[in-house]
């Protein structure tokens, strides 16, 4: 029953709009000569005298003054716009009730809002006359237009909720079909809850870390955007997993110091490199990162790797705040941390020709953009690959 409440409300508003617009009882009064009664509507005037009534077009009834002719033109336009609004609103209600489609919802809301504005203009421009006053059709049309606007907004909200439920059902169905297909697909489906859990943890912690970052910057003399960004980088390093605090390069390979302690890896032990840009959500501030992924064995509980037969090992995650002896690279250090990350990716590929790089990471190493994670959820799904 609740599902059809919005369409029923919209359909009722459309019917009332249509009936009110067709009526000629917007204003009642006397003709300018005072000899007859007149009922003025949006599309014409009914004049009654001595028991006989006639319908007079606006262009004839208000022919005496040019200003009144302009008002009559606006009233006629409002009449036809009310008809269009009623039809579109009724169509939106029928589509939502029968097919669950939201094709006309926004148009219906727009037309009802426009009708309210036009009615306000017609009322303010109405010249009045002897013994003239409002009749029932005008407030009824205004009320039904407002009701139609509310109903159209309710239909849009209902459509959004329904689309979300459909997407969730599709994900559940896809996970079930994946799980029944292959053992690898089952492990991939099992990784999705971990991605959602990581996303919730990042969202819960991001507001706190950003507050700390901004507060620390504000306490320093001359704190500005650069200090806020530096503080945000420190907060990001505390929030993310696998972050390397310090990295030493030499011709044999890498020596890292970070959350997992000290690790030594030869260049030949690297299997994959991925460069990305974090979301704009605080405290990430679109910072770049580079993941150096060693060859297996994977850490316990790591999910199935969707693009290859081997599980993913725990990566070495480099941020712009990671201390690296970039001077050891051929040609020395670059002038910016971003260029240093690019040159490190290119150097790792030169040292290990079998290294796996996606197309965007390859482009990043030569000056192009890295893969952009527009939302925390996207990065969380990527991060969940590592268990």
């Amino acid at each position: 029953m609740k599902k059809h409440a919005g369409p029923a409300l919209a359909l009722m508003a459309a019917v009332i709009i249509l009936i009110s617009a067709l009526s000629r009882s917007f204003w009642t009064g006397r003709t300018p000569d005072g000899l007859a009664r007149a009922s003025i509507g949006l599309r014409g005037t009914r004049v009654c005298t001595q028991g006989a009534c006639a319908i007079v077009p606006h262009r004839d009834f208000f022919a005496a003054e040019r200003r009144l002719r302009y008002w009559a033109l606006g009233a006629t336009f409002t009449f036809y716009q009310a008809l269009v609004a009623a039809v579109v609103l009724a169509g939106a209600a029928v589509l939502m009730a029968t097919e669950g489609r939201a094709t006309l919802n926004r148009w219906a809301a727009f037309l009802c809002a426009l009708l309210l504005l036009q009615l306000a203009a017609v009322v303010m421009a109405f010249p009045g006359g002897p013994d003239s006053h409002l009749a029932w059709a005008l407030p009824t049309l205004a009320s039904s237009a407002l009701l139609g606007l509310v109903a159209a907004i309710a239909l849009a909200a209902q459509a959004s909720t329904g689309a979300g439920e459909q997407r969730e059902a599709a994900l559940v169905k896809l996970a079930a079909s994946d799980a029944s297909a292959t053992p690898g697909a089952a492990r991939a489906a099992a990784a999705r809850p971990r991605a959602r859990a990581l996303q919730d943890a990042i969202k819960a912690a991001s507001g706190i870390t950003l507050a700390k970052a901004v507060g620390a910057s504000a306490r320093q003399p001359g704190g500005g955007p650069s200090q806020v960004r530096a503080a945000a980088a420190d907060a990001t390093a505390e929030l993310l997993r696998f972050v390397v605090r310090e990295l030493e390069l030499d011709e044999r390979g890498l020596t890292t110091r970070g959350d997992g302690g000290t690790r030594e890896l030869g260049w030949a032990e690297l299997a994959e490199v991925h460069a990305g840009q974090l979301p704009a959500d605080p405290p990430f501030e679109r910072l770049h990162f580079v993941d150096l992924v060693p060859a297996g064995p994977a850490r316990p509980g790591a999910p199935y790797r969707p693009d290859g037969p081997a599980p993913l090992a725990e990566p070495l995650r480099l941020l712009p705040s990671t201390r690296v002896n970039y001077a050891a690279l051929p040609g020395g250090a670059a002038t910016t941390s971003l260029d240093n990350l690019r040159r490190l990716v290119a150097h790792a590929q030169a040292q290990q020709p079998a290294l796996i790089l996606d197309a965007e990471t390859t482009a990043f190493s030569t000056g192009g953009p890295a893969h952009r994670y527009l939302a925390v959820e996207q990065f969380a799904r990527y991060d969940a690959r590592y268990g």
Side-chain angles (χ1 to χ4, degrees):
M1 186 67 182
K2 183 179 180 181
K3 177 181 178 181
H4 297 288
L9 187 66
L11 189 59
M12 181 178 67
V15 172
I16 299 175
I17 289 175
L18 186 61
I19 294 174
S20 302
L22 292 173
S23 171
R24 291 186 176 86
S25 296
F26 280 71
W27 291 272
T28 59
R30 293 186 177 277
T31 56
D33 57 12
L35 300 178
R37 299 288 300 177
S39 295
I40 303 173
L42 294 178
R43 62 186 180 123
T45 301
R46 183 174 65 249
V47 178
C48 297
T49 179
Q50 297 180 355
C53 295
I55 304 300
V56 180
H58 282 320
R59 63 177 179 272
D60 296 334
F61 188 76
F62 294 114
E65 298 183 30
R66 180 178 300 177
R67 176 173 63 90
L68 300 183
R69 290 200 300 270
Y70 289 152
W71 174 87
L73 181 63
T76 303
F77 179 78
T78 302
F79 166 74
Y80 286 108
Q81 201 274 319
L83 298 185
V84 173
V87 172
V88 173
L89 186 60
V94 172
L95 285 177
M96 278 298 299
T98 59
E99 302 179 21
R101 292 169 55 189
T103 309
L104 298 178
N105 292 346
R106 292 185 178 180
W107 279 108
F110 170 76
L111 290 172
C112 288
L114 181 61
L115 179 58
L116 285 171
L117 293 176
Q118 290 175 193
L119 282 174
V122 167
V123 170
M124 289 187 293
F126 182 66
D131 192 31
S132 64
H133 57 273
L134 286 177
W136 67 270
L138 179 55
T140 302
L141 180 57
S143 301
S144 58
L146 180 60
L147 180 63
L149 175 60
V150 173
I153 294 174
L155 289 179
Q158 179 179 335
S160 177
T161 303
E165 293 175 351
Q166 291 177 1
R167 285 194 297 269
E168 189 67 25
L171 287 175
V172 172
K173 183 177 180 181
L174 179 61
S177 62
D178 286 349
S180 62
T182 63
R187 288 191 291 270
R192 295 189 184 106
R194 286 195 290 273
R196 288 195 291 268
L198 177 61
Q199 177 193 1
D200 293 340
I202 290 176
K203 285 185 176 180
S206 61
I208 300 174
T209 52
L210 179 65
K212 291 181 179 179
V214 175
S217 173
R219 287 192 295 270
Q220 297 180 13
S226 61
Q227 291 185 355
V228 171
R229 185 170 179 83
D234 293 338
T236 300
E238 294 179 3
L239 181 60
L240 297 183
R241 303 187 300 167
F242 316 125
V243 174
V244 174
R245 307 288 181 177
E246 186 175 346
L247 176 68
E248 184 178 348
L249 310 172
D250 57 35
E251 58 184 14
R252 295 173 300 174
L254 315 166
T255 302
T256 69
R257 298 174 182 84
D259 296 339
T262 301
R263 298 174 64 182
E264 294 184 0
L265 290 171
W267 292 111
E269 297 180 67
L270 292 180
E272 182 179 347
V273 174
H274 175 72
Q277 186 179 18
L278 293 168
D281 304 72
F284 302 128
E285 303 295 333
R286 297 189 177 91
L287 293 177
H288 286 80
F289 71 94
V290 169
D291 280 353
L292 305 174
V293 186
R299 62 194 301 267
Y304 172 76
R305 178 178 177 177
D307 57 349
L312 293 171
E314 186 175 293
L316 309 177
R317 181 160 293 163
L318 309 182
L319 299 175
S321 58
T322 302
R323 294 187 296 274
V324 184
N325 60 329
Y326 290 114
L329 294 173
T335 56
T336 66
S337 59
L338 183 59
D339 287 336
N340 281 325
L341 288 175
R342 297 183 196 276
R343 299 185 65 234
L344 176 59
V345 172
H347 182 65
Q349 189 177 22
Q351 296 297 312
Q352 167 58 301
L355 205 59
I356 299 174
L357 279 75
D358 57 67
E360 289 175 300
T361 300
T362 302
F364 174 78
S365 67
T366 57
H371 178 81
R372 294 183 61 188
Y373 293 94
L374 301 179
V376 173
E377 180 183 4
Q378 294 178 353
F379 175 76
R381 285 199 298 266
Y382 163 75
D383 189 83
R385 300 194 315 165
Y386 304 110

